[in-house]
Amino acid sequence: MAWTRDELLSATGGTIIRDQQNKRFGEIVTDSAKVKKGSVFIALKGERFDGHRFAGEAARRGAACVIVHQDVRRSVMRDAMVVRVPDTLRALGDLAHFRRHKLAPKVLAITGSNGKTTTKEMTAAILERASIAGQSLRGKVLKTHGNFNNLVGLPLTLLRLHKHHQVAVVELGTNRPGEIRRLCEIADPDMGIITSVAAAHLEGLDSLAGVAREKGALFRSMRADGAIAVNLEDPWVRRLGERFKGRKITYGQGGQVRIESPRLAAGRGMRFTLCIGRMRSEVRLNFVGRHNLDNAAGAAALAHGFGARLPAIRRGLESAKPFPMRMQVRSWHGIGIINDAYNAIRLRWLRLSKRSPK
Ligand SMILES: Nc1ncnc2c1ncn2[C@@H]1O[C@H](COP(=O)(O)OP(=O)(O)O)[C@@H](O)[C@H]1O
Ligand SMILES: [Mg+2]
């Protein structure tokens, strides 16, 4: 989707430090190798790479605009207009926020210590099969790719929004206090869910109470006309939910959305009865593991709160599939094998990739 010069400037609050007569600007790109003619290249500074060093390459590839927070050599900027902002990471979020409001889809935000990606996939699968006010949502649901859930990933997700999208299901991740608040500022969610509060990322968030405070920023950031899904099974989440004054959909034991009689399904996966108020439906899930019942109930609660009907919720949950290496059930010579090695492999990869070259 194209940007005008006014939109780029008003969204970021930036100033033009090198003008060109370009009027239309293409997609926002953070990777100079992906710049096409007319793209807007935004120079992010990461731990290992500084995008400012690639501004010249972006211009060479035909960028119509380069957004920076540091000096760049103007002589190599070719046809690119150069806009300076105080902080390019912030500008990326501001651009995403601008598009989110210009296109005005409903935004469903998912955070929590565990189960974000699974709940996101299940929720999106349900919405794809749902109709709201007589209109099918098929093909109109945008969702986070994989784990694009941080201050770069969330903006890049929202920047994929197009006119046909009516709803965005986004994952919010954090390992530092204040990140969820900023992610909510960018996404301005209409609905929110905190899947769980557990001891993860304690290096940045200090204690379980610190984790709860950080995740709780989602509920605290919600508009009063928004709605939240509250996991009654998690005492921390339950407490965070109590403070929210708007509409709530509770799930777990004693909640509006409940899972009864779970059992392993012949072959693979699980079966259970999904209860929403007094309605009941048999569901067969392609996942195993108790925690995936919580994730399914959370996705059902979110979708129900959004207006999806029980048959769509059942069909959506039944179509959702585990990510590779996330409680993936395989059979090998008659033996069932559960592969849940995703995080282990990711950690190992991180360790290897940080090893200094000898
Ligand atoms: N609701 C949950 N509670 C506890 N652990 C969970 C839950 N959901 C998933 N997990 C565990 O965390 C792993 C990652 O799940 P995922 O949905 O990708 O979570 P996230 O996106 O929050 O990292 C799963 O393979 C499983 O071992
Ligand atoms: Mg994830």
Side-chain angles (χ1 to χ4, degrees), residues 14 77 140 172 183 189 267 327:
M77 285 297 119
K140 299 173 185 168
L172 312 184
L183 293 171
M327 294 302 275

Side-chain angles (χ1 to χ4, degrees), residues 10 35 55 65 96 98 111 118 200 207 238 259 318 328 339 358:
S10 70
V35 168
C65 176
F98 186 93
T111 191
T118 309
S207 60
R238 192 182 177 132
I259 282 179
E318 294 194 339
Q328 204 175 19
N339 182 354
K358 288 238 167 71

Side-chain angles (χ1 to χ4, degrees), residues 112-119 146-147 149 171 195-196 198 231 290-292 294-295 323 325-327 339-343 346:
S113 300
N114 299 107
K116 295 180 291 298
T117 299
T118 309
T119 307
N147 284 304
N149 63 18
E171 183 173 325
T195 55
S196 66
N231 182 2
R290 220 212 93 88
H291 56 279
N292 281 321
D294 294 343
N295 296 336
F323 260 49
M325 291 188 285
R326 293 257 162 102
M327 294 302 275
N339 182 354
D340 192 31
Y342 178 83
N343 280 331
R346 188 170 51 171

